[in-house]
């Protein structure tokens, strides 16, 4: 279930101007802190940093699975 929530949060971070707290709530995380921890564990960066890099066209998502090994 957490993977589905994170996928939805990635979509919202890419396409919407919601705050990270709002995205956390919309995706079913109990708190913004819980969202930050789960997101950072998966991506190695905070949601804010991830959003900034994606908006700049920096593609680092393909290395997520390698980073978790």
């Amino acid at each position: 279930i957490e993977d589905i929530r994170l996928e939805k949060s990635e979509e919202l971070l890419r396409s919407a101007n919601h705050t990270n707290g709002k995205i956390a709530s919309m995706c079913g995380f109990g708190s913004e802190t819980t969202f930050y921890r789960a997101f950072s564990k998966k991506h190695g960066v905070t949601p804010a940093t991830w959003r900034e890099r994606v908006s700049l066209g920096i593609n680092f998502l393909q290395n997520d699975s390698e980073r978790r090994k």
Side-chain angles (χ1 to χ4, degrees), residues 35-59:
F35 170 53
Y36 266 72
R37 286 183 184 146
F39 195 94
S40 295
K41 182 178 177 182
K42 178 177 180 182
H43 292 289
V45 296
T46 65
T49 299
W50 188 90
R51 184 191 315 228
E52 180 180 343
R53 290 181 180 178
V54 168
S55 72
L56 293 173
I58 299 170
N59 186 1

Side-chain angles (χ1 to χ4, degrees), residues 13-64:
L13 286 166
R14 268 190 219 98
S15 63
N17 270 341
H18 300 298
T19 65
N20 291 331
K22 178 71 173 171
I23 290 173
S25 176
M26 292 169 70
C27 294
F29 287 94
S31 70
E32 190 172 351
T33 301
T34 302
F35 170 53
Y36 266 72
R37 286 183 184 146
F39 195 94
S40 295
K41 182 178 177 182
K42 178 177 180 182
H43 292 289
V45 296
T46 65
T49 299
W50 188 90
R51 184 191 315 228
E52 180 180 343
R53 290 181 180 178
V54 168
S55 72
L56 293 173
I58 299 170
N59 186 1
F60 59 94
L61 303 177
Q62 61 196 12
N63 296 323
D64 283 346

